[in-house]
Amino acid sequence: MAAEVQPLQRVKFPTGPSATTPEQKYWNSFTNDLQLSAPNNTAITSISFPPPPTRISASPPAETFAVTSGPRIQVFSSKTRKLVKTISRFSVEDVAHSGTIRRDGRILVAGGETGAIQTFDISSRAILKTWKEHKQPVWVTQWHPDKLTTLMSASDDTTVRLWDLPSDASTHTFYGHHDYVRSGAFMPKQASGLLVSGSYDQTVRLWDPRTPGKEVMIFNMGSMVEAVLPMPSATTVLAAGGNQIAVLDLVGARTLELLENHQKTVTCLALANDGKRVLSGGLDGHVKVFETAAWNVVAGFKYPSPVLSLSVISSGAAREDRHLAVGMESGLLSVKTRLSGQQKALAKEREKEMAALMDGKIDEYDKKSLKRKRGKGWEKRLRGKDYTGEGADIIIKGNDRGKIKNLANWELSLRAGKYETALDQVLESKSPNRLQDTTTLLTTLRHRSALRTALSNRDELTLQPILRWINTTLAQQPRLINLTADVILLVIDLYADYLSQSPETQQLFTDLCTAVRNGLEASQVANRVAGMVDMLVNGYA
Amino acid sequence: MSAEQEQNERKRKRAAKERPRDHPKKRSKVQDGDKEVDQKAELAVVPVNDAVGNTAIVPVIKKKEKKGKKKDKTLKTTKIEVPWSISEAVGGWFLPHDPVFSPDEKFLILATRSYLQIYSTATSLLVRSLRVIRSDITSYALSESKPTQIYAATAAGLITTWDLDTGKWLGRWDIKSEIRGIAAALPAKGSQDIIFTQEAGGRHVINAQTLKTDTGASENELKQILKTEEPIQSFQVLSTGAIIVVALQNSMMIGKALPRSSTDLKELEYVWRTFKIQQDITTFHARLETQTGPIAIPQKGSSGINPDSLDLAIGCVDGAILLYNDILRKLTKIERKNEKKNEKKNEKPENIIPRRLHWHREGVASLKWSVDGNYLISGGKETVLVIWQLTTGKKEHLPHLTSEIESVVVSPSGTSYAVRLADNSLIVLSTTELKPKTSIAGIQSRRVLHQGSESSQSGTLPSVLQKSSNPVAAYGKVPMAVNPLNSNQILLPIPSSQPRSEMSDQRLPAPYLQTFDISTARHVSRQALTRNNATNFNLGPERLKLREPDVKLMQLSHDGKWLATVEDWAPPPTDVEHISENDKDAAKEQSLRREIYLKFWLWNHQKGVWSLEARINTPHLFPDDMSTCQVIDLVSHPTEVGFATIGEDSFVRVWKPKVRRRDGAVVRSATSDALYTWSNSCSIELETSIQPPETKKRPLSSSLPLAACLAYSADGSALAATQDWGFNTAPGLVHLINTKAGVVHRSLPNLYIQKLAALAFVGQYLVVVSESVTVWNLVDDELSYSHSINLNQSDYTHQNSLIHLAVNAQDGTFAVAFPSLQFDQLASKKSKAPAPKIRKASSTIIIFDPSRPKPLHSSGLPDVVMALRPTLNGSGYITLDSAAEVRIINPKSSASIPLIGPIAKPDQSLATAGEVEEEVEDMDVDDEEEVIVPAAVKDSEMTDDEIEDTENDKPVVRPEHLAQIFDVGPSFAGQSMKELFNAVVGLYARKPRVRWEQEVTVGI
C-alpha cells in the first residue's frame, strides 16, 4: 500500500568519548547549593531523614531531616530547606550524636557523648525518655524501619543494644565487639530486627535478637569500620573501612567487591535513587556516586573540607531524590537541591517575570504570556469551520494521507526537488542542529546525484554562504572532511573562472586556501605523532 | 473510394492470399487421455541430459586403497541409495496480463508461467492453481457463455479450458501458432463462445473460432478477421463481439461486425477503421456507453445496429492520455463525408481532436474506464494511481505505492480496483476509500529474462539504464537465507521493483528484504533494509534513475534472531566526472566514495520486523589510504551468535555482539530487552597480494583478490579462509583459523588452482569449489576426491561466481549448482562488441556425499540457480532460480518442507473452499478443551486402528467422522450451525465412560 512519508533520517555522527554521561548530568542537576555553617563551627557528624513509610496506610511521610552537630540537633524542612526546630537540650559538656527522626516525624532519638540516649518530642522539644545504660559515648541510634517503638543503639562500650520505647531498660544487649562500635543499622525487610554493626575491631557483625548473646555472622575487615549500609535487597551490606568500601554478600558470606576509589578514610555512606545508587563521602572531601550493579563510580563531587556525613533526601510521593546534604568537618552543611521538571519551568517563569519587573517591561510580559495561553494561530484555525458547502456536488476528495508533520523548510524543498533552495535554507537556518542538518542534506544530495545541481547557478551573494560554511567546517569538523572535500571540488569546478570577479568571494577563496594549508600542516603533525607512537608501541611489543 | 470500400478491398485481397496456404479450418481437439502423459512429459522437458552433457564429470580418485575400502564398507552399510526428487516450482512471476475477476468478484485469476492461480479476494489466499503443460501461458480469458469456465492460451498454441469452480479440466485445442492474446465473446444469438485469438509468428492476425468440447469437436470453425503488417500490441473485444479494438504501434483499428443472419462463424465480417496517433501507444481501454433515454438515431442503416457510443482512452509513451468520445460515430461521419465529397477534400480521421489528459511524466502503463464511465483510472512508473474525474477534470492520487504500476483492472461491479505492481504483487483497493482489501505477492527476488523470451506487452519505453558489460552479472548470487525459527520461510533481499519495460541484463540493487513461506507459497512480509526511494523522487536532476544501495551479502545467525547484511552503494560515474581525468581515475574516485555498511538486525517479536541494532560503516578499509573496500564474503557462526567477514584488504574480521552497558548496568530498551552493540572481536590478516614473478604491468585492480571465501566448521572452532588473485604464486592456499585464539592455525596449499568459487566444511571434509570440486579429508590430511566442472565460459564472463555450494549438516551431503549458458555466437564474433548475449540458460545441480566420489544425484533445472541452501529440517536443498521459482530437492523418502499449495481440494467447489479452515479451527478449539477435562484413556470398545492412534490420550476423530457431519450436502441445505457444533463436540468430547467414573470417585 501507499507508503507513509517519513522524515529524512539524520546523519549520525560517530559518538566519541562522551564528555558528560546522563548520570553525570543527573547529579549535576543538584544545584542551588545552600551552605549553612553550624554555630561554633562544630563538625556535622550526622544527617538523617526519616525513611519513607512502608505501608500506604501509614501517616504521610515526614518532610524533615535532622542534622547533628556539636551539642545540638537541627531539624530542617525538606520542602523549604528552612530550619524548623533546634534541639539543644543536652548537658553542657555533652556532644550529641546521630539525631534520628522517627518515621512519622514526631519523635527524635539521639545519643550523646556521655552515653545517654534521649528521645525528644519534635514539636515541643520535650525529653520523652532518657536511657543511661551505655557507659561510653553512643555514636549510633536508629529507629526500626517498621516498628514505631523499637530502636537500636551502638556505643563505644563495645555493645549494641535494642530498645523498646515504653520500657526503661534495653530489651537486648549484644556483646561481641571488642572495640568502639561506631556504625550500625537495622537490616531492611526483617521483622525480627536483624542488626548489622561495624566496629573499630575491624569486624562487621550481624546480630539477631532471636539468638541472643552471639552474632550470627562476622566479616573481618582490614581496617576500622566507619560506616555500614545495608542495601534495600537485605542481602548485601556495604561497609566502609579505611579508604575502602567492601560489598558484603550475606547469602554467600563473602566479600563481593572492594571499592578503593577514595584516597582517605571513607566516613559515610548513603543510598540514593531508590536504592539504585550509593554515595560515599570521605575525609578527602570527595563524595562519589556508585551504581549498584557493577559498583562503578558514575559521578562525583568535591567539597572544601573532609566530609563526615551525607544523605540524599528524597521526598514526594515518588520518593525522588530532592536534596543532597553533605556535612563537613568545618561545620559547613551543604544542601544541593534538584528541581523537578515542573518546578524548573515555574522557577524559570518566575525568574523571567522578575526580570521583566526589574526592567519595567512587565506590561509587555503580561501581554505575551496572555497571548500564549490562547495558542498560536487560533483565528486561522477557526476560520471557515462553519462552512457547510453550497448544495450537493461530486467532489473528488483530497488526499487523506495527512500532512507530513514536523518537516523543516529545507526538507520540504528537498521533497519538492528544489535542491538549491534547500541548501540555501539549511545554511541560513539558526537551529541548534544546523551542523547535523547541513550534513544530512549534503549527504542526501550526494545520494541523489544532486550535489552539482544544488551548487550550480549561483551568483556572488548566494555562493558566499557556501564558501563560509566550507571554511568553518574545514577548520572545526575534520571528521566531515570527505563531504567537505566533495563540496570544495565541485565549487572549484563550477566557479573557478569567476574567482577574481568579486573581492569578497576572492577573500573567501583565500581563506579557504589558508584553511586547507592549516589542515594539511595539522595532519602532517598528527602523522608524525602517529609514527612516533607506532614506534613506541612496536618497541614495547 | 471510400474508406469502407477500401477496407473491403483490402480484405478481399488478404483472403485471396490466405487461401492457397490451406489453413486448417477445423482444429482437432487433443485427446483427453493425453493429459497425464503430457504432464509427465513436461517434467522431462527440463533439459536434464543436455546440461549434464555439457559438463564432464570425471572422478579423479586419489585415495589410499586400504582406507578407501574401509570407508566404503562402513558407508555401504549405513547409507542406502535413495532416489532424489525435485519438487514442483513454487512462486514465479505473474504474467504481464491484466488480472481477471470472477463475475462475483470473489476470486481473482492470475497466471504465472505455467499455472493459472485463483486467489480469493476475501482472504488473499491461493485457492486453486491450474497447470498448463508444454509451454508458457501467454494469455487467458473468462468464458462469456459459462462464467465459471476459463480459457488459457500458451505460446505453443494450446488453448486449455477448465471449470473454475471445480477445477475440472474441460478440454484442450492445438492451434499450432503462437498465441499472444485471447478473448472470449458470446454472440447475441448464439450459445457458444467465440474465441478471439491474437496470433504471432510470421504474421499478425486475429482469428475468431468456436471451440467445442465433447462431441462437436469436429465442427470447430475458424475465421480470420484481421491481418496486419505491423505487430499487434493488444486487442479488446466489446459488446459480445460486435466491436473489436486493436492497438498497433502507433495506430488504432476499430472493427465493427456487420450484421449477420445466423450464428455461423463464416458470416462474421468486420469493417475496419484505422486512425493514427502521433506517439506510440502503450495502453488503451475502450468502453461502450449504452445510451439511455430517447435517442435520435441519426441515419438509418448507416450507423449500424447499436446506437451506443464507443469511448476510447489511449495511453501514450510520453505520458499523455487521449480520450476519444464516441469515436466510432466520428469515424463513420468522416467516412461518409469523404464519400460525398468524392476525394476532393479528404478529411482524415486524424483530424478528430481528442481530449488530452497529461499528468504522467513517463509512459502510461495501464488505464481503465470506471464502470459508469465518469472516471478514468491510470497508473504508470510514477508509482501513483491517478483517478481522473472526467466531468470536472480533477484528479485524485494515491501516491507512494510500493512499486511501478503495471496494470489496473476495475472489478465487474466497479467496487474495487486491482492494481498489479512491478514487484510481482497485486493489491485490490476499494474504490471508496482506496484501502487495500486484498494483497497478493509472489517471490520478488531478482529475475532474469532472456532477450526475446518474453515480448513486452505494453510497449517498451526508452530505457535510461545503461547496458552492463557483463551479461552474467544479472545472474549473480542472491543471498537467500532459511529462517531457523521457521524452516518453511526463506528470506531474500529483493529489488524495489522490476518493471518489464526496463528488463535488462543489469543487476538491480536489492534494498528490501522479503520473507516468503515456501510451504504455503505465501508472501509473509517485506521490509526495507537500506535507504530507498519509496517515497522520494526516484530520478536525479539529470533524469537518471537513482540507484539504491544493494544488499550484497546476508546471513542469519544460527538461532534465527540476528540478521547481518552488507550493503554497498557508490555514486554513479557521472557524479565524479569532474574530478577524474580518465576512466581509471573515475573508478578510483567512485570507489573512494563507496558506502559499505555492515548492519546487524535483531528480530523483534512484538512488531514482527527486523530492527536495526548496529551499523558498521566501512567494516573493511585499506590501511594505507583509509579508503573503503568491499566485503567479499560473510558467514555466520554455526553455534553461537557471531559473524565473520573477509574483505578486499585481506583481513578476516570476526564480529560479536556485546550487551550494552552504561556504568556497569545493562542498558535496556523500552520493552526491557537488553540492547546490544556489535564490535570487531578479532581481525586476522591473511597474506596480501604476492606479485607474480614476471613483473608485467598490471592494472591497479588486480592487486585485489578476485574472489575470497570463508567457511566455519560445524562446531565453529575453525574458520577456513582463502583468497584468489588469479595469479597466485602460492595457489590454492586455504588458511584454517583458530577462532578461539584468533590466529591462523594452519595453511593448506594447492587445494585449487584458480577461479575459486566456494568453500565449505562438511564434517571432517573441506570442500573447495573452483574449476573442480575438491574434497579434502582434514583428519587423514589427504585428498578424498576431486571432480572437474567444465563451464563453457568465454573470457569476459566470470561464471565461477555463479557456482553455488551448499552443505546440509543433517545428512552430511553437499550440493553444487552451476549454470550452463549458451551465448549468441553472433555477438561474440565481433571483438568490439561489449558483451555476448545469453540465448539460453539452464543449470545443473549435483549432490555429493563427501566420503564417496560418485555423486548421489545430478539433475538439471530449466533456469539458472541464483541461490542454493540446505533445508533445515531433514535432508534436502532449496533452490531459487532466475525465474524467481523455488524448488526443493530432497531424497524421495524424506519430506523436509511440505508443499501445501492451494487450499481447495481437487473437484471441490470454490464456494466451499474457505470453509475447510473453519472446520479446522473448530477442531483446534475442541482440542484445547480436551486438555482441561481429565484425560481419556483407551476404551475397550475402540476399534484396533483407533487404539493405534490414541497415543496422547485424546479421542481420535477420523476424517470420515467429520465428513459424515459436514458432507451432507451444499452448505445452505445442511443443518443449522448449532446442530453442526453439537455434532462436532459430540465427536471430540466422547469419553470412555468407565474410566471417567473411576476418576470421579478417586477425586472424592
PDB file of all heavy atoms in Angstrom, chain A residues 1-3 291 298 394 415 447-448 452-453 486, chain B residues 389 397 400 436 531 535-536 541 578 593 595 663:
ATOM      1  N   MET A   1       0.845  -1.201   0.000  1.00  0.00           N
ATOM      2  CA  MET A   1       0.000   0.000   0.000  1.00  0.00           C
ATOM      3  C   MET A   1       0.865   1.230   0.000  1.00  0.00           C
ATOM      4  O   MET A   1       2.066   1.171   0.084  1.00  0.00           O
ATOM      5  CB  MET A   1      -0.880  -0.020   1.258  1.00  0.00           C
ATOM      6  CG  MET A   1      -2.371   0.096   1.023  1.00  0.00           C
ATOM      7  SD  MET A   1      -2.832   1.015  -0.431  1.00  0.00           S
ATOM      8  CE  MET A   1      -3.199   2.584   0.338  1.00  0.00           C
ATOM      9  N   ALA A   2       0.173   2.270  -0.087  1.00  0.00           N
ATOM     10  CA  ALA A   2       0.869   3.561  -0.118  1.00  0.00           C
ATOM     11  C   ALA A   2       1.770   3.692   1.100  1.00  0.00           C
ATOM     12  O   ALA A   2       1.329   3.537   2.229  1.00  0.00           O
ATOM     13  CB  ALA A   2      -0.157   4.674  -0.136  1.00  0.00           C
ATOM     14  N   ALA A   3       3.009   3.919   0.845  1.00  0.00           N
ATOM     15  CA  ALA A   3       3.965   4.033   1.944  1.00  0.00           C
ATOM     16  C   ALA A   3       3.858   5.413   2.573  1.00  0.00           C
ATOM     17  O   ALA A   3       3.575   6.393   1.894  1.00  0.00           O
ATOM     18  CB  ALA A   3       5.370   3.805   1.421  1.00  0.00           C
ATOM     19  N   GLU A 291      27.156   3.074  41.064  1.00  0.00           N
ATOM     20  CA  GLU A 291      25.962   2.327  40.675  1.00  0.00           C
ATOM     21  C   GLU A 291      26.074   0.950  41.324  1.00  0.00           C
ATOM     22  O   GLU A 291      27.181   0.488  41.612  1.00  0.00           O
ATOM     23  CB  GLU A 291      25.815   2.264  39.156  1.00  0.00           C
ATOM     24  CG  GLU A 291      27.032   1.859  38.371  1.00  0.00           C
ATOM     25  CD  GLU A 291      27.192   0.392  38.294  1.00  0.00           C
ATOM     26  OE1 GLU A 291      26.181  -0.291  38.520  1.00  0.00           O
ATOM     27  OE2 GLU A 291      28.306  -0.054  38.016  1.00  0.00           O
ATOM     28  N   VAL A 298      30.042   6.565  39.000  1.00  0.00           N
ATOM     29  CA  VAL A 298      29.401   7.192  37.859  1.00  0.00           C
ATOM     30  C   VAL A 298      29.380   8.709  37.962  1.00  0.00           C
ATOM     31  O   VAL A 298      29.147   9.383  36.980  1.00  0.00           O
ATOM     32  CB  VAL A 298      27.963   6.664  37.667  1.00  0.00           C
ATOM     33  CG1 VAL A 298      27.989   5.217  37.247  1.00  0.00           C
ATOM     34  CG2 VAL A 298      27.133   6.837  38.902  1.00  0.00           C
ATOM     35  N   ILE A 394     -20.468  16.535  -6.816  1.00  0.00           N
ATOM     36  CA  ILE A 394     -19.467  15.476  -6.673  1.00  0.00           C
ATOM     37  C   ILE A 394     -18.141  16.166  -6.452  1.00  0.00           C
ATOM     38  O   ILE A 394     -17.725  17.005  -7.246  1.00  0.00           O
ATOM     39  CB  ILE A 394     -19.411  14.589  -7.921  1.00  0.00           C
ATOM     40  CG1 ILE A 394     -20.786  13.995  -8.191  1.00  0.00           C
ATOM     41  CG2 ILE A 394     -18.369  13.503  -7.734  1.00  0.00           C
ATOM     42  CD1 ILE A 394     -20.934  13.423  -9.556  1.00  0.00           C
ATOM     43  N   ARG A 415      12.035  17.676  -0.796  1.00  0.00           N
ATOM     44  CA  ARG A 415      10.991  16.785  -1.287  1.00  0.00           C
ATOM     45  C   ARG A 415      10.435  17.277  -2.619  1.00  0.00           C
ATOM     46  O   ARG A 415      10.046  16.500  -3.460  1.00  0.00           O
ATOM     47  CB  ARG A 415       9.849  16.685  -0.272  1.00  0.00           C
ATOM     48  CG  ARG A 415      10.132  15.743   0.860  1.00  0.00           C
ATOM     49  CD  ARG A 415       8.859  15.335   1.540  1.00  0.00           C
ATOM     50  NE  ARG A 415       7.996  14.610   0.621  1.00  0.00           N
ATOM     51  CZ  ARG A 415       8.199  13.358   0.245  1.00  0.00           C
ATOM     52  NH1 ARG A 415       9.209  12.685   0.699  1.00  0.00           N
ATOM     53  NH2 ARG A 415       7.374  12.774  -0.590  1.00  0.00           N
ATOM     54  N   HIS A 447      23.611  11.339  -2.358  1.00  0.00           N
ATOM     55  CA  HIS A 447      22.921  10.093  -2.678  1.00  0.00           C
ATOM     56  C   HIS A 447      21.997  10.248  -3.872  1.00  0.00           C
ATOM     57  O   HIS A 447      21.726   9.291  -4.577  1.00  0.00           O
ATOM     58  CB  HIS A 447      22.097   9.623  -1.471  1.00  0.00           C
ATOM     59  CG  HIS A 447      22.948   9.079  -0.377  1.00  0.00           C
ATOM     60  ND1 HIS A 447      22.518   8.986   0.916  1.00  0.00           N
ATOM     61  CD2 HIS A 447      24.207   8.613  -0.387  1.00  0.00           C
ATOM     62  CE1 HIS A 447      23.483   8.480   1.644  1.00  0.00           C
ATOM     63  NE2 HIS A 447      24.514   8.245   0.886  1.00  0.00           N
ATOM     64  N   ARG A 448      21.481  11.459  -4.052  1.00  0.00           N
ATOM     65  CA  ARG A 448      20.534  11.645  -5.154  1.00  0.00           C
ATOM     66  C   ARG A 448      21.189  12.278  -6.364  1.00  0.00           C
ATOM     67  O   ARG A 448      20.501  12.801  -7.240  1.00  0.00           O
ATOM     68  CB  ARG A 448      19.381  12.524  -4.689  1.00  0.00           C
ATOM     69  CG  ARG A 448      18.638  11.868  -3.558  1.00  0.00           C
ATOM     70  CD  ARG A 448      17.302  12.474  -3.329  1.00  0.00           C
ATOM     71  NE  ARG A 448      16.735  11.906  -2.104  1.00  0.00           N
ATOM     72  CZ  ARG A 448      15.736  12.435  -1.452  1.00  0.00           C
ATOM     73  NH1 ARG A 448      15.174  13.536  -1.895  1.00  0.00           N
ATOM     74  NH2 ARG A 448      15.288  11.871  -0.360  1.00  0.00           N
ATOM     75  N   ARG A 452      25.742  18.651  -7.507  1.00  0.00           N
ATOM     76  CA  ARG A 452      26.154  19.616  -8.518  1.00  0.00           C
ATOM     77  C   ARG A 452      25.011  20.580  -8.823  1.00  0.00           C
ATOM     78  O   ARG A 452      25.208  21.790  -8.904  1.00  0.00           O
ATOM     79  CB  ARG A 452      26.594  18.879  -9.787  1.00  0.00           C
ATOM     80  CG  ARG A 452      26.947  19.775 -10.936  1.00  0.00           C
ATOM     81  CD  ARG A 452      27.426  18.949 -12.104  1.00  0.00           C
ATOM     82  NE  ARG A 452      28.797  18.530 -11.935  1.00  0.00           N
ATOM     83  CZ  ARG A 452      29.840  19.225 -12.397  1.00  0.00           C
ATOM     84  NH1 ARG A 452      29.643  20.354 -13.035  1.00  0.00           N
ATOM     85  NH2 ARG A 452      31.063  18.787 -12.235  1.00  0.00           N
ATOM     86  N   THR A 453      23.828  20.051  -8.961  1.00  0.00           N
ATOM     87  CA  THR A 453      22.672  20.892  -9.256  1.00  0.00           C
ATOM     88  C   THR A 453      22.457  21.903  -8.138  1.00  0.00           C
ATOM     89  O   THR A 453      22.145  23.063  -8.391  1.00  0.00           O
ATOM     90  CB  THR A 453      21.417  20.028  -9.400  1.00  0.00           C
ATOM     91  OG1 THR A 453      21.760  18.890 -10.172  1.00  0.00           O
ATOM     92  CG2 THR A 453      20.295  20.778 -10.040  1.00  0.00           C
ATOM     93  N   ASP A 486      34.338  17.016  -1.164  1.00  0.00           N
ATOM     94  CA  ASP A 486      33.489  16.879  -2.345  1.00  0.00           C
ATOM     95  C   ASP A 486      32.869  18.210  -2.729  1.00  0.00           C
ATOM     96  O   ASP A 486      32.821  18.565  -3.912  1.00  0.00           O
ATOM     97  CB  ASP A 486      32.375  15.863  -2.057  1.00  0.00           C
ATOM     98  CG  ASP A 486      32.723  14.500  -2.604  1.00  0.00           C
ATOM     99  OD1 ASP A 486      33.900  14.319  -2.988  1.00  0.00           O
ATOM    100  OD2 ASP A 486      31.840  13.624  -2.637  1.00  0.00           O
TER     101      ASP A 486
ATOM    102  N   GLN B 389     -11.459  12.493 -12.714  1.00  0.00           N
ATOM    103  CA  GLN B 389     -12.901  12.709 -12.840  1.00  0.00           C
ATOM    104  C   GLN B 389     -13.099  13.474 -14.122  1.00  0.00           C
ATOM    105  O   GLN B 389     -12.665  14.622 -14.248  1.00  0.00           O
ATOM    106  CB  GLN B 389     -13.427  13.504 -11.651  1.00  0.00           C
ATOM    107  CG  GLN B 389     -14.930  13.528 -11.636  1.00  0.00           C
ATOM    108  CD  GLN B 389     -15.469  14.313 -10.484  1.00  0.00           C
ATOM    109  OE1 GLN B 389     -14.828  15.253 -10.042  1.00  0.00           O
ATOM    110  NE2 GLN B 389     -16.631  13.940  -9.996  1.00  0.00           N
ATOM    111  N   HIS B 397      -5.010  11.343  -6.372  1.00  0.00           N
ATOM    112  CA  HIS B 397      -3.812  10.497  -6.469  1.00  0.00           C
ATOM    113  C   HIS B 397      -3.753   9.553  -5.282  1.00  0.00           C
ATOM    114  O   HIS B 397      -4.138   9.901  -4.181  1.00  0.00           O
ATOM    115  CB  HIS B 397      -2.550  11.353  -6.427  1.00  0.00           C
ATOM    116  CG  HIS B 397      -2.488  12.361  -7.501  1.00  0.00           C
ATOM    117  ND1 HIS B 397      -2.303  12.020  -8.810  1.00  0.00           N
ATOM    118  CD2 HIS B 397      -2.589  13.712  -7.476  1.00  0.00           C
ATOM    119  CE1 HIS B 397      -2.284  13.120  -9.538  1.00  0.00           C
ATOM    120  NE2 HIS B 397      -2.459  14.164  -8.746  1.00  0.00           N
ATOM    121  N   HIS B 400       2.860   6.864  -3.726  1.00  0.00           N
ATOM    122  CA  HIS B 400       3.805   6.031  -2.967  1.00  0.00           C
ATOM    123  C   HIS B 400       3.346   4.590  -2.842  1.00  0.00           C
ATOM    124  O   HIS B 400       3.346   4.024  -1.769  1.00  0.00           O
ATOM    125  CB  HIS B 400       4.039   6.602  -1.563  1.00  0.00           C
ATOM    126  CG  HIS B 400       4.391   8.036  -1.559  1.00  0.00           C
ATOM    127  ND1 HIS B 400       5.296   8.562  -2.432  1.00  0.00           N
ATOM    128  CD2 HIS B 400       3.961   9.060  -0.787  1.00  0.00           C
ATOM    129  CE1 HIS B 400       5.401   9.857  -2.195  1.00  0.00           C
ATOM    130  NE2 HIS B 400       4.599  10.177  -1.212  1.00  0.00           N
ATOM    131  N   PRO B 436      -6.610  -1.047   0.838  1.00  0.00           N
ATOM    132  CA  PRO B 436      -6.425  -2.368   0.257  1.00  0.00           C
ATOM    133  C   PRO B 436      -7.319  -3.413   0.905  1.00  0.00           C
ATOM    134  O   PRO B 436      -7.454  -3.447   2.129  1.00  0.00           O
ATOM    135  CB  PRO B 436      -4.958  -2.678   0.506  1.00  0.00           C
ATOM    136  CG  PRO B 436      -4.570  -1.810   1.641  1.00  0.00           C
ATOM    137  CD  PRO B 436      -5.458  -0.620   1.623  1.00  0.00           C
ATOM    138  N   ARG B 531      18.324   2.512   2.785  1.00  0.00           N
ATOM    139  CA  ARG B 531      17.529   3.653   2.352  1.00  0.00           C
ATOM    140  C   ARG B 531      17.000   3.344   0.967  1.00  0.00           C
ATOM    141  O   ARG B 531      17.627   2.595   0.208  1.00  0.00           O
ATOM    142  CB  ARG B 531      18.378   4.907   2.383  1.00  0.00           C
ATOM    143  CG  ARG B 531      19.234   5.157   1.198  1.00  0.00           C
ATOM    144  CD  ARG B 531      20.121   6.348   1.451  1.00  0.00           C
ATOM    145  NE  ARG B 531      21.492   6.058   1.075  1.00  0.00           N
ATOM    146  CZ  ARG B 531      21.943   6.068  -0.168  1.00  0.00           C
ATOM    147  NH1 ARG B 531      21.127   6.356  -1.151  1.00  0.00           N
ATOM    148  NH2 ARG B 531      23.190   5.789  -0.432  1.00  0.00           N
ATOM    149  N   THR B 535       9.345   6.776  -1.141  1.00  0.00           N
ATOM    150  CA  THR B 535       8.530   7.986  -1.054  1.00  0.00           C
ATOM    151  C   THR B 535       9.269   9.190  -1.602  1.00  0.00           C
ATOM    152  O   THR B 535       8.855  10.315  -1.390  1.00  0.00           O
ATOM    153  CB  THR B 535       8.129   8.251   0.400  1.00  0.00           C
ATOM    154  OG1 THR B 535       9.310   8.377   1.183  1.00  0.00           O
ATOM    155  CG2 THR B 535       7.279   7.143   0.950  1.00  0.00           C
ATOM    156  N   ASN B 536      10.378   8.967  -2.248  1.00  0.00           N
ATOM    157  CA  ASN B 536      11.129  10.090  -2.795  1.00  0.00           C
ATOM    158  C   ASN B 536      11.024  10.095  -4.302  1.00  0.00           C
ATOM    159  O   ASN B 536      10.720   9.095  -4.932  1.00  0.00           O
ATOM    160  CB  ASN B 536      12.598   9.989  -2.404  1.00  0.00           C
ATOM    161  CG  ASN B 536      12.790  10.262  -0.943  1.00  0.00           C
ATOM    162  OD1 ASN B 536      12.020  10.993  -0.347  1.00  0.00           O
ATOM    163  ND2 ASN B 536      13.791   9.658  -0.370  1.00  0.00           N
ATOM    164  N   PRO B 541      18.564  14.845 -10.892  1.00  0.00           N
ATOM    165  CA  PRO B 541      18.314  16.053 -11.694  1.00  0.00           C
ATOM    166  C   PRO B 541      18.626  15.848 -13.172  1.00  0.00           C
ATOM    167  O   PRO B 541      18.064  16.525 -14.004  1.00  0.00           O
ATOM    168  CB  PRO B 541      19.224  17.097 -11.074  1.00  0.00           C
ATOM    169  CG  PRO B 541      20.077  16.402 -10.097  1.00  0.00           C
ATOM    170  CD  PRO B 541      19.534  15.067  -9.817  1.00  0.00           C
ATOM    171  N   HIS B 578      33.866  15.181 -12.868  1.00  0.00           N
ATOM    172  CA  HIS B 578      34.625  16.429 -12.814  1.00  0.00           C
ATOM    173  C   HIS B 578      35.962  16.261 -12.115  1.00  0.00           C
ATOM    174  O   HIS B 578      36.847  17.071 -12.259  1.00  0.00           O
ATOM    175  CB  HIS B 578      33.800  17.517 -12.132  1.00  0.00           C
ATOM    176  CG  HIS B 578      33.484  17.223 -10.703  1.00  0.00           C
ATOM    177  ND1 HIS B 578      32.457  16.389 -10.331  1.00  0.00           N
ATOM    178  CD2 HIS B 578      34.066  17.628  -9.559  1.00  0.00           C
ATOM    179  CE1 HIS B 578      32.421  16.307  -9.020  1.00  0.00           C
ATOM    180  NE2 HIS B 578      33.375  17.048  -8.524  1.00  0.00           N
ATOM    181  N   ARG B 593      34.393   6.958  -2.777  1.00  0.00           N
ATOM    182  CA  ARG B 593      33.126   7.459  -2.247  1.00  0.00           C
ATOM    183  C   ARG B 593      32.119   6.346  -1.995  1.00  0.00           C
ATOM    184  O   ARG B 593      30.954   6.583  -1.773  1.00  0.00           O
ATOM    185  CB  ARG B 593      32.542   8.480  -3.215  1.00  0.00           C
ATOM    186  CG  ARG B 593      33.240   9.801  -3.130  1.00  0.00           C
ATOM    187  CD  ARG B 593      33.040  10.662  -4.353  1.00  0.00           C
ATOM    188  NE  ARG B 593      33.789  11.905  -4.229  1.00  0.00           N
ATOM    189  CZ  ARG B 593      35.108  11.989  -4.395  1.00  0.00           C
ATOM    190  NH1 ARG B 593      35.804  10.928  -4.705  1.00  0.00           N
ATOM    191  NH2 ARG B 593      35.720  13.145  -4.255  1.00  0.00           N
ATOM    192  N   GLU B 595      30.020   3.606  -0.224  1.00  0.00           N
ATOM    193  CA  GLU B 595      29.497   3.469   1.138  1.00  0.00           C
ATOM    194  C   GLU B 595      29.155   2.006   1.357  1.00  0.00           C
ATOM    195  O   GLU B 595      28.272   1.461   0.702  1.00  0.00           O
ATOM    196  CB  GLU B 595      28.240   4.326   1.330  1.00  0.00           C
ATOM    197  CG  GLU B 595      28.555   5.797   1.430  1.00  0.00           C
ATOM    198  CD  GLU B 595      27.306   6.644   1.514  1.00  0.00           C
ATOM    199  OE1 GLU B 595      26.208   6.095   1.715  1.00  0.00           O
ATOM    200  OE2 GLU B 595      27.439   7.869   1.358  1.00  0.00           O
ATOM    201  N   ASP B 663      27.754   2.454  32.719  1.00  0.00           N
ATOM    202  CA  ASP B 663      28.104   2.493  34.134  1.00  0.00           C
ATOM    203  C   ASP B 663      27.835   1.131  34.765  1.00  0.00           C
ATOM    204  O   ASP B 663      27.318   1.024  35.875  1.00  0.00           O
ATOM    205  CB  ASP B 663      27.293   3.564  34.871  1.00  0.00           C
ATOM    206  CG  ASP B 663      27.503   4.908  34.236  1.00  0.00           C
ATOM    207  OD1 ASP B 663      28.587   5.130  33.699  1.00  0.00           O
ATOM    208  OD2 ASP B 663      26.573   5.731  34.289  1.00  0.00           O
TER     209      ASP B 663
END
